[in-house]
Amino acid sequence: RIRRTLRNRFRNGGIFQCPIYGYIKPPREKEDEAVRDEAVRKDPHAEPIYDDWFTRLESGDTFAAVADWLHDLGIPLPPYARGERWTGPMVARITRNPILKGIRVRNNRITKRINKTGRRKTVKAPPEERLERECPHLAFIEPARFDRLMRQLDERNAKYRRRGKDGCDL
């Protein structure tokens, strides 16, 4: 029931959980009130930062180099970041977030119970479980530029990808 409720809230424009750098999420008025997509807005100061960020990656910079550049500029960390400075994995995670091109995604991954141990492990969700919604007012980067950079990064980093037992990419 909880899962069904959360899926329905997402479809209706709610559940904007952890904003990344550049998004301003207003505080909730009441405890049970959901923050809707329309209430979330872009930080106008982040627009040129994201443009430079993507330009640097397109020109061949690494995620760590972009993290150092952000740290040197004094750009504040995202609201829910645990560290004290920008890191390469943090930049990679934010770079790959499709909200930058104006698409909200939910249920990329689901948990499966392992009966032998009773624990759970996270696996990619089947396509029918994945939810997407377009929010063009939240886009920092044009979708074509975003997709082009993702292909470029996948090609550049393919040699570092883990392989499965059968030798195929995971």
Side-chain angles (χ1 to χ4, degrees):
R1 284 172 43 191
I2 294 170
R3 194 166 162 191
R4 182 182 63 217
T5 302
L6 291 175
R7 289 175 65 82
N8 192 38
R9 278 191 194 154
F10 180 82
R11 283 191 194 110
N12 293 330
I15 305 183
F16 196 94
Q17 289 175 323
C18 300
I20 59 174
Y21 168 74
Y23 293 97
I24 301 169
K25 178 180 168 182
R28 295 187 297 181
E29 305 276 324
K30 301 174 196 162
E31 186 59 33
D32 60 342
E33 180 183 55
V35 175
R36 305 191 63 75
D37 286 343
E38 297 83 35
V40 177
R41 57 192 169 87
K42 295 189 305 185
D43 183 358
H45 301 294
E47 192 102 33
I49 300 296
Y50 272 120
D51 187 46
D52 286 349
W53 180 329
F54 271 62
T55 302
R56 286 172 179 273
L57 289 172
E58 288 166 340
S59 66
D61 276 4
T62 62
F63 293 128
V66 173
D68 292 340
W69 171 74
L70 290 168
H71 183 72
D72 292 342
L73 283 179
I75 303 298
L77 290 172
Y80 294 96
R82 291 185 183 162
E84 297 177 8
R85 62 177 288 139
W86 286 92
T87 63
M90 185 186 304
V91 170
R93 209 172 27 252
I94 291 174
T95 301
R96 290 188 174 104
N97 195 331
I99 197 168
L100 293 176
K101 69 176 181 175
I103 296 180
R104 294 269 329 273
V105 176
R106 182 157 177 90
N107 293 352
N108 252 347
R109 303 190 71 78
I110 59 172
T111 59
K112 291 284 187 188
R113 185 167 181 266
I114 301 171
N115 288 330
K116 188 174 183 180
T117 62
R119 294 179 179 255
R120 295 182 171 271
K121 79 173 188 176
T122 306
V123 295
K124 281 192 174 183
E128 60 272 5
E129 289 281 326
R130 191 171 192 260
L131 299 175
E132 285 187 3
R133 191 174 60 254
E134 289 194 29
C135 301
H137 69 284
L138 297 177
F140 274 108
I141 305 295
E142 302 86 32
R145 182 180 182 193
F146 181 89
D147 294 336
R148 187 174 53 247
L149 178 63
M150 292 306 109
R151 281 192 304 275
Q152 184 181 353
L153 290 172
D154 285 345
E155 289 170 10
R156 190 185 324 164
N157 297 323
K159 59 186 172 191
Y160 302 114
R161 187 169 292 137
R162 289 189 291 166
R163 305 252 179 222
K165 291 180 183 176
D166 59 355
C168 297
D169 291 337
L170 292 176

